Amino acid sequence: MPGPPPRPPRQGAFTSSAHDRRVAALLGVSLGVTFTVCFATGLLSDLIQEQPAWFTWPAAPRDLYRWTQGAHLVSGVASIPLLLGKLFAVYPRLWAWPPIRGLANALERAALVPLVGGALLLLATGLMNVFSWYPTPFVFTPTHYWTAWIVVGALVIHVTAKAGTAAAALRRRPAAPAAAPARPAAAPQPAVERRRFLGTIAAAAGITGLSFLASAVSPLRSLAVLAPRRSDRAVQGLPINRSAAAAGVTRAAVGPGFRLRVTGAVARPLVLDLAALRSRAVHDADLPIACVEGWSVGARWRGVPLRALLAEAGAAPSFTGVVVRSLQRVGPYSGARLNWPHALHRDSLLALDLNGEPLDLDHGYPVRLITPNQPGVLQTKWVTEIEVIA
Amino acid sequence: MPGAPPTGAAEPPPERRDLAPHGADPASGRRFWIGVAVGGGIMLHGLAGLLRQAPVTRPGAWAGWLLAVLAVHDLLLVPAVLLVGGLLGGALGGTAGGRLWPPLRAALVTGGIVLLVTMPALVGGGRSTDPTNPTLLPNDDPRSLALVIGSIMAAAGAWAGIAASRPRRSRAPRRPSGRDGDRRR
């Protein structure tokens, strides 16, 4: 028997075909797809929330954001097994000796630190965010965003370094051995081992990805190991992202003294109490709350159309959007800017009722914003002011 | 995949020659340097953003976490998987239990990954983020996890049963097919 493995282990020490180039290439391509979906949908979500002047997010189709953010979460969760499998496949190369062969190789290997460490950090923090768990000293959203750019930059370097090798590994099946291999009769064929390894990783990716989706499908809910919210365990049929207490909103603050103001670029500023709001013509809309954390649940809303209030207040014809402000004083989402397609959409409501009942305080009583095709964080609760922006 | 512990073999057998050593990849040429320029630019954009928002992104702590997850993966997780796989595979391989190892290994890896992904729910750290929210983390996660891992184990058991009931293969040397390993079991 040979002696114990040297330290660091030599690459020849890893004999499973789970470590071969074809496996690494197939998992690399799969990760390329899932990371591209994650990056594109993540950037889109950021643009929708940041609203740069050149970007106008439409109000229709109603469920588009629900699908893009769902794709972000499912591809992110499925990336976890794919990344672990890929890193296992290339693990022997971590111990390459000599560790550096020239400038190009040094750069390519150096880029692996932000690539692999950043990818692991992205997936870990993203997963923890799904479960509202924030143990890191940095704030999740901006750090996740900028880490994604760093990882994608490192990925570009990695892909240009490895594209030729990967393409060759995918094109060409490994050659047959010249002689019958000297291995135990019970040892499986390399291709069988490859298929088993890839099959196992694919199964894990499928299970984790589908588990996340299962939380939205009633017969499968008991199998949903990744269910941060469930529509069957909710208040008024709808889960709550942030409770009134966590947002610093008390029942006293929404008592008889509550007023909704329509201000800014308007001919007739409005100040309305709850009775005045309820006396106006209402409209019903079926719209989901689609959370950035991936869960989404549909509901029936009744409220005053935002465009009716804007018309009543005489909003300037050239207005570009509105800023909706909340009583909420805690957290980054105490207000939201709505662009004009959302402000004028017939289903954009200042909602008073949810699923046939007056809003619960945790859902934004006495009045909240609900609009189609919008992240949940922009569906401002406890609305107290609408400022029209010229 | 815990199938291949480091064995210290002097040379890889011939059929392992596609396990090319690191460094054989041609990380050079015009395409690579264009990639370095473009990718480096994108990375600098990300780094600049991280530094601009330093009060919330805490770049020092961020770098510490990045290196820590890398170290945990490379120096703890993978060696542990290799060790467990080597011990179990060694104990089962080459005997009648050798046919049980592939399904058991697949079940352990799949179940282990599902357990890892479920950890934030099981730890339940999010409950302290908003303790007044009755809809946060509503799932009976241990029960769901037991159902999912039980299903994985049942599937692996079925696979093992089918494998054990098959007749043993002939050990006669096979003809080279030109497509190594493409032979189906």
Side-chain angles (χ1 to χ4, degrees):
Chain A
M1 285 290 286
R7 290 182 189 179
R10 288 171 296 168
Q11 289 178 85
F14 297 89
T15 56
S16 167
S17 49
H19 299 298
D20 78 17
R21 288 184 162 187
R22 193 171 170 80
V23 170
L26 283 167
L27 289 172
V29 170
S30 307
L31 277 169
V33 172
T34 56
F35 267 59
T36 300
V37 171
C38 271
F39 188 59
T41 51
L43 280 189
L44 179 67
S45 186
D46 179 75
L47 284 174
I48 294 167
Q49 292 175 62
E50 293 297 322
Q51 299 181 28
W54 55 269
F55 180 83
T56 301
W57 179 240
R62 181 190 75 174
D63 289 339
L64 185 57
Y65 183 77
R66 199 178 192 183
W67 285 101
T68 62
Q69 198 60 11
H72 185 79
L73 268 290
V74 171
S75 58
V77 169
S79 293
I80 295 172
L82 293 175
L83 182 62
L84 293 176
K86 162 82 175 175
L87 294 178
F88 188 85
V90 297
Y91 187 68
R93 300 181 188 202
L94 178 64
W95 305 105
W97 198 263
I100 291 169
R101 303 177 186 203
L103 177 63
N105 181 248
L107 276 173
E108 181 231 318
R109 297 211 77 188
L112 292 176
V113 175
L115 176 62
V116 179
L120 288 168
L121 195 60
L122 274 180
L123 296 179
T125 54
L127 186 66
M128 290 189 292
N129 178 56
V130 165
F131 295 101
S132 307
W133 186 25
Y134 306 102
T136 60
F138 41 82
V139 175
F140 168 73
T141 309
T143 314
H144 194 72
Y145 176 83
W146 293 118
T147 306
W149 280 101
I150 292 169
V151 169
V152 165
L155 187 59
V156 168
I157 296 175
H158 185 70
V159 167
T160 52
K162 299 288 185 183
T165 312
L170 292 175
R171 264 197 311 271
R172 197 175 56 238
R173 296 271 181 171
R183 59 167 174 254
Q189 299 301 315
V192 174
E193 277 295 272
R194 263 199 299 275
R195 277 199 293 273
R196 284 176 180 162
F197 179 72
L198 289 169
T200 303
I201 296 301
I207 290 170
T208 50
L210 291 176
S211 291
F212 192 80
L213 287 180
S215 63
V217 183
S218 64
L220 297 177
R221 280 202 186 102
S222 56
L223 294 175
V225 284
L226 292 171
R229 301 287 195 290
R230 284 172 56 160
S231 60
D232 61 334
R233 299 189 187 166
V235 174
Q236 296 181 312
L238 189 69
I240 296 160
N241 191 50
R242 180 184 281 260
S243 66
V249 175
T250 61
R251 194 157 283 283
V254 294
F258 172 83
R259 297 290 183 273
L260 171 69
R261 291 176 167 77
V262 182
T263 63
V266 293
R268 300 171 291 279
L270 302 178
V271 181
L272 305 170
D273 62 14
L274 185 54
L277 262 177
R278 284 206 170 270
S279 70
R280 277 160 171 75
V282 292
H283 173 71
D284 286 353
D286 291 312
L287 295 173
I289 292 287
C291 186
V292 291
E293 288 150 19
W295 63 268
S296 68
V297 174
R300 165 147 284 215
W301 307 88
R302 172 171 288 178
V304 181
L306 178 57
R307 65 181 185 182
L309 279 188
L310 294 179
E312 186 179 337
S318 60
F319 86 99
T320 57
V322 300
V323 174
V324 180
R325 295 201 176 85
S326 171
L327 285 170
Q328 175 177 347
R329 291 291 170 262
V330 183
Y333 300 107
S334 55
R337 187 190 155 94
L338 279 188
N339 58 25
W340 65 265
H342 279 91
L344 293 181
H345 194 278
R346 63 191 289 271
D347 286 343
S348 290
L349 303 179
L350 289 158
L352 301 164
D353 296 338
L354 165 60
N355 290 331
E357 299 171 10
L359 289 169
D360 187 275
L361 181 63
D362 281 337
H363 281 310
Y365 174 88
V367 58
R368 76 169 295 167
L369 181 69
I370 184 75
T371 55
N373 194 29
Q374 194 84 306
V377 288
L378 299 185
Q379 311 280 28
T380 306
K381 300 198 274 194
W382 313 290
V383 174
T384 186
E385 184 184 1
I386 295 162
E387 182 188 354
V388 177
I389 308 295
Chain B
M1 189 81 134
T7 61
E11 289 296 331
E15 74 269 31
R16 306 300 185 201
R17 62 192 169 195
D18 53 321
L19 304 178
H22 180 90
D25 299 304
S28 58
R30 197 168 154 207
R31 184 177 62 193
F32 174 70
W33 291 108
I34 292 172
V36 168
V38 174
I42 297 172
M43 284 176 70
L44 282 178
H45 172 65
L47 199 58
L50 203 71
L51 293 174
R52 262 200 317 275
Q53 291 189 270
V56 285
T57 59
R58 306 278 304 275
W62 171 85
W65 272 73
L66 186 145
L67 294 174
V69 290
L70 204 53
V72 166
H73 176 271
D74 288 348
L75 304 178
L76 289 178
L77 182 66
V78 179
V81 169
L82 287 168
L83 182 68
V84 171
L87 290 176
L88 277 176
L92 289 172
T95 67
R99 290 186 174 197
L100 298 179
W101 175 229
L104 177 61
R105 179 178 56 183
L108 287 175
V109 171
T110 313
I113 290 174
V114 171
L115 180 65
L116 185 71
V117 170
T118 318
M119 284 312 285
L122 292 175
V123 171
R127 288 200 177 85
S128 62
T129 302
D130 190 352
T132 56
N133 186 346
T135 70
L136 182 61
L137 301 178
N139 215 31
D140 185 353
D141 292 302
R143 180 173 170 273
S144 293
L145 189 64
L147 281 172
V148 171
I149 290 187
S151 305
I152 291 168
M153 290 296 171
W159 174 7
I162 293 167
S165 65
R166 280 186 182 174
R168 286 193 170 277
R169 284 181 307 184
S170 161
R171 295 189 182 186
R174 61 197 171 85
R175 230 164 7 115
S177 66
R179 297 181 74 188
D180 175 40
D182 226 20
R183 191 170 62 110
R184 298 185 184 276
R185 292 193 70 189

